[in-house]
Amino acid sequence: MGVSLNNQLLQGPNLANNLLGVLMRFRQEEIAILGDIESMFYQVKVPEKDRNFLRFYWWKDGVIDQKPLQYRMTVHLFGATSSPSCCNYALQITAEKHKEQFAPIVTDTVKRNMYVDDCLTSVVAEETAVSLIKDVSALCKMGGFYLTKFISNSEKVLESVPEIDRVQEVEKWNLSDESLVERVLGVYWFIKKDVLGFQLNNNNQPVTRRGILSVVSSVYDPLWIVSPFILTAKSILQNLCKRGISWDEEIPAKELVKWNSWLQQLPDLEKINVSRCYKSANFKNIVNCQLHCFADPSEIGYGAVFYLRLLNEDGHVHCAFVLGKSRVVPLKSVSVPRLELTAATSAVKLCQMIMKELDYLV
């Protein structure tokens, strides 16, 4: 009668880990591990008294002329409002319930380095990685979760995982293959070089406000590696909005020139990458870690960029890009001093988040 049961469900608290935090911890150490919980939502049962909220109609054999049958889901499903919160809680309570049986690094991996059904972590040594995969899989199994689809930048670690639990067809791969790439929470991880970068799909869109937004949105960059470049396109969109250009109207000649210039440079993003690991090879025993931030505004936008400065016991220094962020200035006119303050405020908030999420002593 026009009422969706899904809209009546409570969403529950957001128990998912911070996406940026998970990605940053994935970059901390030399040996990287990536895994996935198979059909995570389907492993969590719905209490019988609550199953009426997940009722649905089904036409047997697809014959819609007959009266539909009524079914109830007995497990959580993708798309239900409550599923993410319930399933994340089930995973975290599994780690808490069995924490006495495992080392702290194991429970910490499940609690802090899972983003919904994806497990991302990094460790110092291959031996630690082999042991961690075994123990985290065992811990997840105690809650009915099957951790599989493992991939690592270490052949030794990968060989320790049964073929059935590796990424599909990984037995045919060679880690020396330059083209070997894996998606890490939407970010492209080039395993041979151990760098994070971009792969672009041909996205031929009409030169309208809607088409420009589609192209800009297709560049997924949660670490804001290329935020200065994306800022230019966002500025074009803002000018079109300011001038009242409709979604499907052709853009004026001035903006068209800027857009075509930006579009010609877009393929060059595939040449840009940053090291997956903050530390360079054989950079061991960090004795000092500093977080350096630079923030500044302009008439177009404002932004900030963060770097780690690492010092080891041998006195060697290594600097690494952490993340950046940029935003276009508000449509409402704002003074330069106010923009300076806005940029500084944004930088401080990001700085606090980074210090909270990173395990280095910042």
Side-chain angles (χ1 to χ4, degrees):
M1 299 179 67
V3 177
S4 168
L5 291 178
N6 197 29
N7 291 338
Q8 311 308 312
L9 297 176
L10 292 175
Q11 181 176 347
N14 181 12
L15 299 178
N17 287 311
N18 185 309
L19 174 64
L20 276 175
V22 175
L23 283 173
M24 285 191 293
R25 288 189 290 275
F26 179 66
R27 300 179 61 197
Q28 284 184 168
E29 303 297 346
E30 186 177 351
I31 307 300
I33 306 169
L34 177 64
D36 178 83
I37 295 178
E38 186 177 69
S39 304
M40 177 180 174
F41 285 13
Y42 293 168
Q43 312 312 315
V44 183
K45 285 282 188 178
V46 177
E48 190 170 352
K49 62 184 179 64
D50 294 330
R51 291 176 185 173
N52 282 334
F53 293 105
L54 297 178
R55 282 185 178 272
F56 63 95
Y57 287 116
W58 186 260
W59 284 270
K60 188 175 181 180
D61 300 324
V63 182
I64 61 175
D65 295 332
Q66 298 180 359
K67 186 176 180 180
L69 302 175
Q70 289 189 43
Y71 288 89
R72 300 189 306 173
M73 291 296 297
T74 62
V75 296
H76 288 275
L77 71 157
F78 287 93
T81 303
S82 57
S83 292
S85 184
C86 293
C87 296
N88 276 308
Y89 176 78
L91 183 62
Q92 291 185 17
I93 206 67
T94 298
E96 183 66 26
K97 182 178 179 181
H98 302 286
K99 66 180 181 180
E100 301 298 333
Q101 304 175 41
F102 297 92
I105 187 177
V106 178
T107 53
D108 189 61
T109 297
V110 175
K111 287 183 176 181
R112 298 185 68 224
N113 295 329
M114 298 287 303
Y115 190 78
V116 189
D117 59 347
D118 291 309
C119 178
L120 292 78
T121 189
S122 60
V123 294
V124 177
E126 292 176 328
E127 294 75 15
T128 306
V130 172
S131 174
L132 184 62
I133 289 175
K134 179 181 177 182
D135 290 341
V136 171
S137 298
L139 175 56
C140 290
K141 190 175 181 179
M142 290 181 172
F145 298 105
Y146 175 37
L147 193 58
T148 183
K149 295 183 181 178
F150 284 104
I151 184 66
S152 174
N153 59 340
S154 166
E155 289 189 4
K156 181 179 178 180
V157 173
L158 203 55
E159 288 171 357
S160 71
V161 179
E163 287 189 6
I164 193 174
D165 289 333
R166 302 177 195 172
V167 169
Q168 189 176 11
E169 296 185 352
V170 74
E171 65 273 8
K172 299 179 183 178
W173 292 359
N174 185 343
L175 290 184
S176 63
D177 184 0
E178 296 282 351
S179 63
L180 185 56
V181 60
E182 183 69 18
R183 294 290 292 272
V184 180
L185 297 182
V187 181
Y188 286 95
W189 175 29
F190 298 87
I191 301 176
K192 162 62 178 175
K193 296 181 178 179
D194 201 18
V195 297
L196 304 178
F198 300 89
Q199 279 192 346
L200 304 175
N201 298 320
N202 292 326
N203 194 354
N204 296 321
Q205 296 290 338
V207 187
T208 61
R209 187 176 157 199
R210 189 188 306 276
I212 292 174
L213 179 61
S214 176
V215 174
V216 174
S217 301
S218 69
V219 182
Y220 184 67
D221 184 25
L223 295 175
W224 298 298
I225 298 171
V226 293
S227 57
F229 178 69
I230 300 300
L231 181 66
T232 303
K234 289 183 176 179
S235 177
I236 295 173
L237 279 170
Q238 187 184 58
N239 289 333
L240 294 175
C241 180
K242 188 185 299 185
R243 297 179 60 172
I245 304 298
S246 64
W247 284 107
D248 298 307
E249 181 181 348
E250 290 189 5
I251 67 175
K254 184 179 179 180
E255 277 73 19
L256 180 61
V257 172
K258 292 180 180 179
W259 173 246
N260 286 333
S261 175
W262 186 89
L263 210 56
Q264 288 175 1
Q265 301 174 64
L266 184 60
D268 291 336
L269 289 190
E270 295 190 350
K271 302 176 184 177
I272 297 175
N273 55 65
V274 297
S275 296
R276 195 269 317 160
C277 184
Y278 295 128
K279 299 184 292 186
S280 59
N282 302 317
F283 194 88
K284 309 291 184 181
N285 303 322
I286 297 174
V287 296
N288 182 263
C289 177
Q290 299 175 358
L291 181 65
H292 291 250
C293 170
F294 304 88
D296 204 32
S298 71
E299 294 180 354
I300 297 176
Y302 60 91
V305 62
F306 297 84
Y307 293 90
L308 278 178
R309 182 185 184 275
L310 306 175
L311 175 68
N312 67 8
E313 60 183 12
D314 297 326
H316 297 147
V317 174
H318 178 74
C319 293
F321 170 84
V322 180
L323 58 85
K325 187 172 185 179
S326 65
R327 282 191 172 183
V328 293
V329 297
L331 285 173
K332 183 180 178 181
S333 180
V334 181
S335 66
V336 174
R338 174 63 66 178
L339 286 175
E340 293 273 4
L341 182 60
T342 303
T345 303
S346 176
V348 169
K349 290 180 179 179
L350 277 172
C351 182
Q352 291 175 337
M353 184 275 294
I354 294 171
M355 294 176 66
K356 176 183 175 183
E357 298 292 345
L358 270 183
D359 291 334
Y360 291 140
L361 296 177
V362 179

